[in-house]
Amino acid sequence: MSRSRNDPEDRRPSDVDLPEAEVARRLHRTWATPRTLKDALSTVDHKIIGRRYIATAFVFLILGGLLALAMRLQLAAPEARIIGPDRYNQIFTMHGTTMMFLFAVPVMEAVGVFLVPLMIGTRNIAFPKLNAFSYWIYLAGGILLWVAFAVDVGPDVGWFAYVPLAGPEFSPGKRADIWAQMITFTEVSALAVSVELVATIFKQRAPGMSLDRIPVFVWAMLVTSFLVIMAMPAIMVASTTLILDRLVGTHFYNPAEGGDALLWQHLFWFFGHPEVYIIFLPAVGMVSTMIPTFSGRPIFGYLALVMALIATGILSFGLWVHHMFTTGLPRLGESFFTASSMSIAVPAGVQIFCWIATLWAGRPQMKAPLLFICGFIFTFVMGGMTGVMVASVPLDSQVHDTYFVVAHFHYVLIGGALFPLVAAIYYWLPKATGRMMSERLGRVVFGLIFVGFHGTFFPMHILGLMGMPRRVYTYQPEMGWGGINLFVSVSALVLAAGFLLFFIDVFRSARSGPLAGPNPWNAPTLEWATSSPPESYNFLRIPVVSSANPLWDDPDGPSVASGLNIDRRELLVTSVVEALPEARESSPTDSIWPLFAALATAILLIASIFTPWAVVWGALPVTLALICWFWPKGEPEDEA
Amino acid sequence: MGSSRGTHAQTSGGSSGARILAALGLTFLCVISAAAVGWLRAPRQYRADPPVQDDLGRLRLMPNRIGGTPPESYFALGKPYEKTGYDLSQGKRLYTWFGCSTCHGDGRGKIGPSFLDGWWLYGPEMISVVASIRDGRPHGMPAYGNRMTSDQIWQLAGYVRTVGAYAPSPSATSRNDDPQTRPAENRGPAVQHFEQGPVGMNPRQGPSP
């Protein structure tokens, strides 16, 4: 990095030969976000945006959870009259849509936005303005959906909005349009974040962090980002053609005019199945990163774990048809997708054995995160079992659209993603706030959530086998489902109490928890090499990595590289495989224009539900905002 | 919603209590106002209440059965049948279910008069169209009063009126999943697609009323 003193380029201000306090002061001046409203709206700091993303996603988790409680209230007794059929349709659609599109996918991406630059030792995410834009557009999509629901225009066609039900003939009003347009918002934001993460992971890793030294969570985010990039275009085509059918009168899904109603299911599930893994793989990565810390030894089978991640990612594109077994497919198609659905159990099994082996060979400390990880392994294995069951066509034909399926996917989604996420919050919140969460409360929270979860969802398997269909707003007393449903509803309250206590602990810890220090868990990865919470520039000097567990193998902390400019935002760009330093690259400064661009885009998209002319006139402010965003600043690029 | 903005202000704004309080207040205000708007909107009702149903049938027609005063409940409901997407689309479904197209075709008329031309033999008021459907008209229009409920008649009348509308409506129905014979109602007012002026009467319809 360091060049000879007479190199003219080296006369720029760098951190070479400066005392640490001076470097810290000037880096802070360069990178920090001042605390004014305008600066808060124009910041491009990945940590601030990541925190916003996570907080917003958890707000949507609470809202979706309240809807779930409302449904359980209605279903607690047969023939209940608390919620009518029309409102109930909106509520279950809002619950699914909120949880999948506004909570699960964004929160996983958001944890990546917050953690990946810290874990790989860089100062900001790649394309930070795009990052800010993606948050605002996500927020706008969420607001659109929930304001629509508040004014009784919430979508009521289920979270996968099958045509012809969601089509122009059978879904009057603007409800399905709102759904389709909300999809557009979340697509744009997820795609933007994925592109940033891929670029960050490939080109901004700390020097020496070759591909085999990347933390498993970062690998998981890389695979997830590629899944998003390849899966989201399918739903983009789907939601756009649906809205065209509804608003402009095209015939993509009208069989009478050469369209195809089944095309919707193919497009949706070609996205929808990988989406399950878009939610699950980051969770797997979190688990693989946390387990070594609490076992006190490096992860067992790093290569196998990474290969399993990639294999899951590839296989996930080959099983979407198992959502469509009852649509009347050719026999060969059913057999193929049964086989491919069952084969995904192989990489999942590899991962689970690697985790068990790591725990087995180490000295596990049963801290709160590890409790949730054990809950995850137990719950997810159970969900995987019912997954293998519904992967077989005869059984699936019986339980299709019953509560058995509801139970299955809550086991894999809550068990497979939410348990690891809660573990991750216990583990990484001290990094974000600088304060520890309560270990004692954590055990109570785990007990409530674990017991509440299984009490809520296990009986649903039985209800499904008894024939209770999903998405019914009530049932008759003669069906004999009343007792189990009441038990489920009571258990849901226990689950909700667990989450309430969890949120109370989060707020309590952020205010008055014990101070964490840089590395409270004695963890091996780079994000623990900097202060908690990290300074705006993440690392005073960029670490140089020489092993997969840098903080364990260098007890004095990793050695550092110097030479980056401290008076303008600069990052180190490294090579893809070996992470050899290649260039110093400037990193964008704060800008208000991503917010305005997101606002203009939101106005265009929302107005286009009401008139096609919005696409024409709405494009003008979008163009204007983008011109201002990309207006050249007059800084020579090669100065860096 | 606004609540999400509030939360990021909490996390990014640090621990200053006043800021959190302001954010919470703002959130609360947004939630209350959205809920108030939702409360004011008429909820979608799959089945009208029996008293309303009963009242919707009390048309106060002029002696010639053209024009008159709609029932009070129609105004009390906020005239939904001409403007809410749900009622219009129910009307469109009833148009198919009750075989209206046998005589009126896709709206351009067959042995019955056209709706698309925007000319109404008994006037353009809702109540006249409702009376036509309920009581029938001379020269072939049967009475549907004992085959449909009152609110269904209003829904069908609302739909029939949008077929020949001269102004676009954001809640007009879209296309059906059927072979298409003309642009759907939401593709703009009929006047854009068809010649104005009355389509000639079908000779089988007999003398004009």
Side-chain angles (χ1 to χ4, degrees):
Chain A
M1 282 299 298
S2 56
R3 295 161 186 243
S4 62
R5 280 267 115 193
N6 51 15
D7 184 341
E9 223 202 64
D10 223 31
R11 266 179 259 131
R12 67 212 169 78
S14 96
D15 55 357
V16 182
D17 302 333
L18 278 178
E20 280 201 355
E22 171 70 5
V23 175
R25 192 184 64 76
R26 285 167 70 177
L27 277 175
H28 179 80
R29 205 179 55 198
T30 310
W31 286 88
T33 302
R35 298 181 61 161
T36 65
L37 181 64
K38 180 175 176 295
D39 290 297
L41 295 177
S42 43
T43 183
V44 294
D45 185 339
H46 76 98
K47 296 179 292 301
I48 296 177
I49 293 170
R51 279 199 317 242
R52 278 177 197 172
Y53 242 122
I54 295 171
T56 313
F58 270 97
V59 168
F60 285 122
L61 171 75
I62 295 171
L63 291 173
L66 290 176
L67 292 183
L69 286 182
M71 285 190 281
R72 285 321 314 175
L73 186 66
Q74 163 72 11
L75 292 178
E79 303 268 25
R81 295 182 175 213
I82 301 155
I83 300 168
D86 183 52
R87 181 74 69 181
Y88 192 86
N89 289 350
Q90 290 186 52
I91 287 179
F92 73 67
T93 306
M94 289 292 296
H95 170 74
T97 308
T98 303
M99 290 304 199
M100 293 301 275
F101 293 104
L102 298 179
F103 169 64
V105 174
V107 83
M108 294 299 176
E109 303 251 1
V111 174
V113 164
F114 184 86
L115 279 181
V116 163
L118 290 168
M119 282 186 150
I120 64 171
T122 186
R123 287 198 166 143
N124 203 353
I125 200 164
F127 314 121
K129 287 186 189 171
L130 187 63
N131 197 23
F133 174 80
S134 87
Y135 172 73
W136 297 121
I137 209 87
Y138 155 67
L139 183 63
I143 291 174
L144 164 68
L145 186 73
W146 273 85
V147 167
F149 178 63
V151 299
D152 200 25
V153 204
D156 57 352
V157 288
W159 80 273
F160 38 68
Y162 275 3
V163 292
L165 175 64
E169 183 171 356
F170 298 103
S171 262
K174 297 295 172 198
R175 297 175 171 191
D177 301 317
I178 303 267
W179 181 87
Q181 213 59 306
M182 185 281 308
I183 298 292
T184 312
F185 282 91
T186 51
E187 278 158 11
V188 170
S189 79
L191 278 169
V193 172
S194 300
V195 170
E196 297 151 24
L197 285 177
V198 169
T200 313
I201 296 169
F202 274 157
K203 293 305 291 178
Q204 287 182 210
R205 301 199 306 276
M209 188 183 270
S210 51
L211 285 183
D212 57 344
R213 292 173 186 162
I214 303 181
V216 182
F217 175 71
V218 176
W219 265 113
M221 287 314 300
L222 182 68
V223 177
T224 304
S225 301
F226 274 110
L227 289 193
V228 170
I229 291 169
M230 285 185 272
M232 286 280 173
I235 187 71
M236 190 167 267
V237 169
S239 71
T240 309
T241 46
L242 175 65
I243 214 164
L244 284 175
D245 263 20
R246 293 178 52 84
L247 299 175
V248 196
T250 54
H251 295 282
F252 291 101
Y253 303 113
N254 177 7
E257 287 285 351
D260 188 349
L262 211 54
L263 174 65
W264 169 267
Q265 297 192 25
H266 281 291
L267 284 173
F268 187 88
W269 291 116
F270 186 79
F271 145 81
H273 201 79
E275 191 199 24
V276 176
Y277 293 94
I278 290 168
I279 296 165
F280 174 59
L281 288 184
V284 170
M286 292 168 186
V287 169
S288 305
T289 311
M290 283 183 276
I291 281 187
T293 303
F294 294 105
S295 314
R297 59 150 286 157
I299 189 83
F300 176 89
Y302 177 90
L303 185 65
L305 273 173
V306 172
M307 285 300 157
L309 284 176
I310 297 172
T312 310
I314 293 170
L315 280 175
S316 72
F317 282 97
L319 20 118
W320 79 93
V321 176
H322 71 210
H323 296 269
M324 303 162 55
F325 279 154
T326 58
T327 54
L329 298 163
R331 189 70 63 79
L332 182 66
E334 292 188 337
S335 308
F336 176 84
F337 283 100
T338 294
S340 64
S341 305
M342 290 186 175
S343 70
I344 200 118
V346 175
V350 167
Q351 290 169 328
I352 287 169
F353 283 118
C354 284
W355 296 326
I356 293 177
T358 312
L359 287 169
W360 193 299
R363 285 208 186 87
Q365 295 171 280
M366 270 297 162
K367 297 268 177 68
L370 194 57
L371 273 181
F372 277 95
I373 288 171
C374 292
F376 149 73
I377 293 178
F378 180 78
T379 313
F380 181 70
V381 167
M382 282 184 70
M385 305 266 202
T386 51
V388 175
M389 287 164 81
V390 291
S392 80
V393 177
L395 196 122
D396 185 71
S397 310
Q398 285 299 310
V399 297
H400 185 82
D401 264 352
T402 68
Y403 264 85
F404 190 87
V405 174
V406 176
H408 161 69
F409 66 69
H410 282 95
Y411 262 80
V412 286
L413 287 172
I414 298 185
L418 200 57
F419 274 70
L421 183 71
V422 175
I425 298 289
Y426 273 95
Y427 184 70
W428 277 297
L429 192 77
K431 181 48 66 182
T433 62
R435 288 171 187 278
M436 304 293 286
M437 287 177 71
S438 160
E439 197 61 38
R440 202 165 46 84
L441 274 181
R443 281 163 199 278
V444 181
V445 168
F446 172 73
L448 286 173
I449 290 185
F450 190 78
V451 171
F453 170 81
H454 284 276
T456 306
F457 292 102
F458 190 80
M460 287 189 187
H461 291 113
I462 302 162
L463 278 175
L465 293 174
M466 288 166 82
M468 180 166 169
R470 65 195 283 202
R471 297 176 171 174
V472 287
Y473 81 103
T474 192
Y475 51 92
Q476 284 68 45
E478 297 79 27
M479 306 305 291
W481 304 331
I484 302 183
N485 269 307
L486 182 61
F487 180 79
V488 166
S489 295
V490 172
S491 305
L493 286 178
V494 177
L495 182 57
F499 273 102
L500 182 66
L501 198 60
F502 169 70
F503 289 118
I504 289 174
D505 193 21
V506 167
F507 280 105
R508 192 203 54 79
S509 119
R511 300 212 126 202
S512 57
L515 288 176
N519 191 358
W521 310 105
N522 186 26
T525 38
L526 275 189
E527 77 272 25
W528 304 103
T530 182
S531 58
S532 312
E535 295 293 337
S536 52
Y537 44 85
N538 287 358
F539 297 92
L540 192 66
R541 292 193 165 93
I542 301 298
V544 177
V545 177
S546 55
S547 80
N549 299 297
L551 300 200
W552 281 351
D553 299 339
D554 299 307
D556 315 327
S559 46
V560 291
S562 54
L564 285 182
N565 196 328
I566 51 176
D567 286 343
R568 49 170 281 185
R569 295 185 179 185
E570 227 172 56
L571 311 161
L572 191 58
V573 171
T574 53
S575 62
V576 174
V577 179
E578 301 278 340
L580 299 172
E582 281 180 337
R584 295 181 300 256
E585 177 71 32
S586 61
S587 179
T589 49
D590 296 355
S591 162
I592 193 76
W593 291 106
L595 171 62
F596 285 131
L599 272 178
T601 314
I603 291 169
L604 183 159
L605 288 175
I606 295 172
S608 72
I609 297 176
F610 299 95
T611 164
W613 285 102
V615 179
V616 179
W617 300 118
L620 295 179
V622 175
T623 315
L624 198 70
L626 290 182
I627 288 174
C628 295
W629 177 342
F630 293 108
W631 196 260
K633 306 284 186 303
E635 292 173 12
E637 185 68 19
D638 54 2
E639 195 201 321
Chain B
M1 357 187 1
S3 45
S4 20
R5 277 282 297 279
T7 314
H8 88 66
Q10 282 167 33
T11 40
S12 64
S15 55
S16 87
R19 275 182 134 185
I20 294 180
L21 218 62
L24 283 179
L26 192 70
T27 309
F28 194 65
L29 207 70
C30 291
V31 171
I32 293 291
S33 49
V37 177
W39 190 259
L40 289 174
R41 273 176 57 92
R44 189 178 283 188
Q45 272 197 314
Y46 290 152
R47 204 181 294 170
D49 285 335
V52 175
Q53 189 75 266
D54 194 39
D55 191 53
L56 280 173
R58 284 194 206 107
L59 309 181
R60 285 162 289 177
L61 291 166
M62 302 289 282
N64 62 359
R65 312 197 69 74
I66 299 173
T69 311
E72 292 301 331
S73 56
Y74 172 67
F75 298 105
L77 290 170
K79 300 204 231 171
Y81 301 108
E82 298 153 274
K83 59 185 187 194
T84 69
Y86 171 70
D87 289 312
L88 291 176
S89 115
Q90 285 299 103
K92 186 170 189 176
R93 223 183 269 192
L94 294 165
Y95 187 87
T96 312
W97 287 352
F98 284 86
C100 305
S101 52
T102 320
C103 299
H104 298 284
D106 59 7
R108 283 178 289 185
K110 247 186 216 166
I111 57 173
S114 163
F115 305 130
L116 262 169
D117 61 3
W119 284 70
W120 302 92
L121 297 179
Y122 301 95
E125 294 96 354
M126 265 298 264
I127 188 163
S128 303
V129 183
V130 170
S132 300
I133 298 169
R134 190 186 68 173
D135 306 330
R137 294 288 184 190
H139 309 300
M141 175 71 193
Y144 285 87
N146 56 358
R147 295 189 179 89
M148 303 164 81
T149 60
S150 293
D151 62 328
Q152 285 178 330
I153 293 175
W154 279 92
Q155 286 170 334
L156 179 55
Y159 166 70
V160 163
R161 274 171 40 95
T162 62
V163 174
Y166 275 77
S169 154
S171 49
T173 48
S174 187
R175 65 157 180 80
N176 274 1
D177 287 336
D178 297 326
Q180 305 295 299
T181 51
R182 64 172 173 83
E185 293 78 26
N186 69 346
R187 297 292 306 284
V191 62
Q192 287 180 6
H193 303 292
F194 297 93
E195 286 177 28
Q196 294 181 48
V199 174
M201 297 282 251
N202 189 304
R204 282 156 71 193
Q205 203 182 324
S208 110

